[in-house]
Amino acid sequence: MSPLNRQTDEPTNEERADRIDTVMQAYCLTLEGRDFDGDEDDVKDLLTDLMHFCERMEIDFEENLRVARNNYEHERNAEQGDTGQLGCPVCGCCLEVTRTDTLLGIDLELYNCQECEETFIRELNASDSPLQRAVKCVGCGSMIPQASARILYQRDDYAHFIGECCWDERLRD
């Protein structure tokens, strides 16, 4: 068991896999009334049905799959003793990947700090992309790097930001 799992109440990767074994057993019983025997076709069928379910529930399957891949890599690395986590530039605690997004054709990874509640962003396309503080664009609601945002309105210590994504539209209005 990794040091990370001893310090938290997070399940081990073996426990995570056991949970899915239970799900696969139930899924195969529903399909054909049989036990799951490790058949890859059953996994493909489950994923296909999950995609249909997400479409019906208006859940973005691809977005959740990207986040799941990131979580999977983090959990594998953590169990091997390498958290690979980024530290929060504000308070120093570990940042948690919350989602990936695409803005103006650039894939972005969004991080939240559980301690100071700041949000950070970095590009996925470049391996040396810096971690930047993120703000919400008032035009479209997307998270954008604060350094590239413009202040639309500011009062005391509170500011409303607008990004390049909406700046031209705002000028026309």
Side-chain angles (χ1 to χ4, degrees), residues 130-158:
L131 189 65
Q132 302 176 59
R133 185 171 283 177
V135 292
K136 186 179 274 190
C137 173
V138 295
C140 63
S142 295
M143 296 303 288
I144 55 175
Q146 184 175 352
S148 66
R150 298 177 187 191
I151 296 176
L152 185 66
Y153 170 78
Q154 183 172 3
R155 182 173 186 196
D156 300 322
D157 290 337
Y158 190 76

Side-chain angles (χ1 to χ4, degrees), residues 103-104 137-142 162-173:
L103 183 63
L104 301 175
C137 173
V138 295
C140 63
S142 295
I162 189 161
E164 293 175 23
C165 45
C166 298
W167 183 252
D168 289 339
E169 289 178 21
R170 206 59 151 161
L171 288 177
R172 286 188 224 127
D173 288 346

Side-chain angles (χ1 to χ4, degrees), residues 51-59:
M51 292 164 101
H52 290 298
F53 174 79
C54 287
E55 181 179 27
R56 180 176 73 193
M57 300 301 293
E58 297 180 4
I59 296 170

Side-chain angles (χ1 to χ4, degrees), residues 60-76:
D60 187 343
F61 179 83
E62 293 300 325
E63 172 66 21
N64 284 287
L65 183 58
R66 280 194 294 271
V67 172
R69 282 189 177 122
N70 286 337
N71 290 345
Y72 168 76
E73 287 301 320
H74 169 72
E75 290 166 359
R76 283 188 65 210

Side-chain angles (χ1 to χ4, degrees), residues 35-53:
D35 286 338
F36 173 65
D37 60 1
D39 185 359
E40 288 185 11
D41 286 338
D42 292 333
V43 174
K44 292 173 197 166
D45 289 342
L46 176 73
L47 289 171
T48 303
D49 289 353
L50 184 58
M51 292 164 101
H52 290 298
F53 174 79

